[in-house]
Amino acid sequence: MSDPATPEAPDPALPPSLRLLKWLVIVLTLTMIGGVITVVALLVTRMPQALGTPAPGLPEGFALPDGARAQAVTFGEGWIAVVTADDRLLVFGRDGRLRQEVALEP
């Protein structure tokens, strides 16, 4: 009769299919850890470059037409687009002059 005070030894060997599954889980875990480390490393090394680029500025003397209030501003190469509160799209050149005005449908 076995003594309840002595711990029983675990099964000496797993079936071959469970041994394979165990190793596959270990490999998957290591792969996922490596992937997370790689993603974090890429974010850490790439983000300072993206954050270091200065935002484009408005040219000197840039002014909206009277009564216009900006809701959104978009910078392109050689132009600046401003969406106003009264549903207009104003496109300015880099020199600050109004190039085009488009009425938007509400």
Side-chain angles (χ1 to χ4, degrees), residues 6-96:
T6 59
E8 294 183 26
D11 284 339
L14 292 172
S17 60
L18 285 181
R19 255 188 307 209
L20 175 64
L21 182 61
K22 174 184 167 184
W23 283 108
L24 287 175
V25 169
I26 291 170
V27 169
L28 177 63
T29 303
L30 293 174
T31 303
M32 290 178 66
I33 290 170
V36 168
I37 290 171
T38 302
V39 168
V40 169
L42 286 173
L43 286 174
V44 167
T45 58
R46 301 289 183 191
M47 288 302 281
Q49 294 171 355
L51 295 176
T53 58
L58 293 173
E60 291 293 324
F62 182 85
L64 292 174
D66 290 336
R69 190 174 51 111
Q71 282 189 330
V73 178
T74 301
F75 295 90
E77 282 195 41
W79 56 270
I80 301 167
V82 178
V83 178
T84 63
D86 57 350
D87 294 324
R88 290 185 295 162
L89 175 68
L90 306 174
V91 181
F92 295 89
R94 273 289 174 198
D95 57 359

